[in-house]
Structure formats: structure tokens, C-alpha cells
């Protein structure tokens, strides 16, 4: 595929939503391959009894978007950890895997919060660069096989699915923030708070949170 050219109305939020090859996401964030892949596994402890992933990974296959399983992302993380050279790790990222730009933006902020801390951002000059330098990974980026469908080509059903996914992502981001600030509160209590904000049934919210935590 051609080198991704990403243009956003809101770069900090990655909006409007676009598909970003996972390989390219490594360059966008400026993180290591291992750090980015860790985002797609449940490597982050939100509270004593809750481990979460920060970022969903997908693949485009048979004209359908399919979510990569936690088993697959964990296996990839194990594989790249055995490699000592960053470029070899980079090559091991499946060329057809991708993430959504808005989810990547949210995951990056959460990663900072979980690791170096938000107060260190300016000190470390950290931030998303949606048009990063490609060297020495030009060939690996060009080899990405993501084939995003244009919005006009999407079926009404696919458009509804994307809109629902965006709402669920926003809801789950709220849950992560609330749980970090209120670790002793149960998911039932937090779901009720979020349900009130989004005018949804608390049971529905709790199910969405549970699905995302276990995905």
C-alpha cells in the first residue's frame, strides 16, 4: 500500500477516525515495538483485580474488519521479546494489522499515565506525530496490506457498527479513568455513574465494560 497520509481535524484526538497500520503506529507514537504491542495485551493493572489492554488491534480480511484476539497479540508480544534487534521486531508485526486513530490517541495518553506520568510529557517531548520520518522502515511500511474501505463504500450496517464501536470506546475510556481515580469502587457502581452520563441502562454499560476487559 502507499505510505499513509493522515490528516485530522483534531490531531490530539485522532479525529475523524482513520485506519492506521500497526507498524505505522509505532512510528506515530515514537515508542518501541514492544511498548506498542504491550498496549494490545492485558498488561496494565488498573486495580488489584483488574488488568486491561489499552488498544484494540484489527485486521482487514475478506472485505470485513476483524478484531485480533488477545491470544494473538500476546503471542506476538512473546515473539518480539525474543528478538534483540528493533528492526527485526518491527518486521514481525503482521503487515495486515491496524488500529483506529482515535483509539490510538486515547491509548497513547493512557500509556503515558500508566508509565512515565502525564507530568513528564513536556520533559520528554512526547507526543503523536501522524506524519513521522520512515527511515529505516520505508520498505516495511510500504508492505502493509491494510485496505481500508472508503466511507462512501461502507454499507449502512458497517457504518452503524463503526458508530457503535466509537461510542463503546468513549465509554470504556471513561471507565478506565474512573477506576484509576476510584479503585475501591466496584464495576457495578462505576457502570451506574457512566450510564447516567450516557443515558444508558447500567446493565448494558456493565456488559460493554466486561466485554472490553475480556477481549
Amino acid at each position: 500500500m502507499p505510505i499513509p497520509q493522515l490528516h485530522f481535524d483534531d490531531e490530539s484526538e485522532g479525529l475523524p477516525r482513520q485506519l492506521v497500520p500497526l507498524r505505522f503506529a509505532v512510528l506515530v507514537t515514537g515508542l518501541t515495538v514492544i511498548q506498542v504491542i504491550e498496549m494490545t495485551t492485558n498488561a496494565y493493572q488498573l486495580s488489584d483485580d483488574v488488568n486491561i489492554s489499552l488498544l484494540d488491534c484489527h485486521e482487514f480480511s475478506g472485505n470485513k474488519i476483524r478484531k485480533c484476539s488477545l491470544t494473538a497479540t500476546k503471542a506476538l508480544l512473546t515473539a518480539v521479546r525474543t528478538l534483540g534487534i528493533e528492526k527485526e521486531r518491527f518486521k514481525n508485526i503482521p503487515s495486515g494489522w491496524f488500529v483506529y486513530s482515535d483509539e490510538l490517541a486515547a491509548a497513547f495518553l493512557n500509556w503515558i499515565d500508566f508509565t512515565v506520568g502525564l507530568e513528564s510529557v513536556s520533559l520528554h517531548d512526547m507526543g503523536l506525530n501522524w506524519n513521522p520520518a520512515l527511515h529505516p522502515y520505508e520498505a516495511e511500511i510500504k508492505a502493509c496490506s491494510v485496505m481500508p474501505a472508503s466511507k462512501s463504500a461502507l454499507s449502512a450496517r458497517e457504518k452503524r457498527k463503526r458508530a457503535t464501536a466509537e461510542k463503546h470506546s468513549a465509554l470504556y475510556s471513561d471507565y478506565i479513568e474512573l477506576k484509576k481515580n476510584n479503585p475501591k469502587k466496584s464495576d457495578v457502581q462505576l457502570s451506574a455513574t457512566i450510564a447516567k452520563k450516557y443515558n444508558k441502562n447500567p446493565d448494558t454499560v456493565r456488559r460493554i465494560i466486561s466485554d472490553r476487559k475480556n477481549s
Side-chain angles (χ1 to χ4, degrees):
M1 67 175 289
I3 300 298
Q5 295 292 324
L6 304 175
H7 304 282
F8 300 100
D9 295 333
D10 186 341
E11 290 193 350
S12 64
E13 298 287 339
L15 293 172
R17 166 178 279 206
Q18 297 176 53
L19 276 60
V20 183
L22 188 59
R23 290 180 178 181
F24 196 65
V26 174
L27 305 183
V28 168
T29 59
L31 302 179
T32 67
V33 169
I34 288 176
Q35 288 170 330
V36 171
I37 296 174
E38 278 179 336
M39 288 187 191
T40 69
T41 70
N42 60 345
Y44 297 87
Q45 187 172 33
L46 189 56
S47 62
D48 290 342
D49 59 344
V50 178
N51 279 67
I52 61 167
S53 59
L54 303 183
L55 183 62
D56 286 338
C57 189
H58 307 268
E59 63 179 358
F60 193 81
S61 176
N63 292 323
K64 290 186 177 180
I65 292 174
R66 307 176 193 276
K67 183 177 175 180
C68 301
S69 69
L70 184 58
T71 299
T73 57
K74 281 185 170 181
L76 177 61
L77 180 60
T78 298
V80 299
R81 279 177 170 165
T82 66
L83 301 171
I85 300 174
E86 185 70 357
K87 190 162 187 178
E88 291 303 313
R89 294 178 183 139
F90 198 91
K91 288 180 178 179
N92 266 262
I93 300 174
S95 62
W97 284 17
F98 69 88
V99 297
Y100 288 111
S101 56
D102 58 328
E103 293 182 0
L104 178 61
F108 182 66
L109 285 178
N110 282 321
W111 180 87
I112 289 173
D113 201 13
F114 273 106
T115 55
V116 299
L118 293 173
E119 67 279 359
S120 300
V121 172
S122 58
L123 179 65
H124 292 84
D125 194 27
M126 301 180 74
L128 297 175
N129 178 3
W130 295 107
N131 291 289
L134 303 180
H135 180 79
Y137 304 114
E138 295 97 329
E140 288 77 13
I141 294 298
K142 289 179 180 178
C144 290
S145 57
V146 176
M147 297 294 290
S150 67
K151 289 187 176 181
S152 60
L154 293 176
S155 67
R157 180 172 179 272
E158 189 62 36
K159 288 179 180 179
R160 288 195 299 271
K161 285 175 62 178
R162 287 198 178 190
T164 298
E166 290 179 18
K167 291 176 182 177
H168 288 187
S169 293
L171 184 153
Y172 190 58
S173 292
D174 283 358
Y175 165 74
I176 291 175
E177 188 64 29
L178 284 173
K179 189 67 174 179
K180 285 194 308 191
N181 294 331
N182 305 275
K184 294 184 178 180
K185 284 193 174 182
S186 69
D187 283 0
V188 173
Q189 293 172 303
L190 297 178
S191 296
T193 300
I194 296 170
K196 185 175 181 181
K197 175 180 177 180
Y198 289 92
N199 194 27
K200 287 184 174 293
N201 185 294
D203 290 337
T204 299
V205 173
R206 190 162 63 251
R207 187 186 70 250
I208 293 169
I209 291 171
S210 178
D211 288 345
R212 290 293 299 268
K213 282 167 57 178
N214 296 323
S215 63

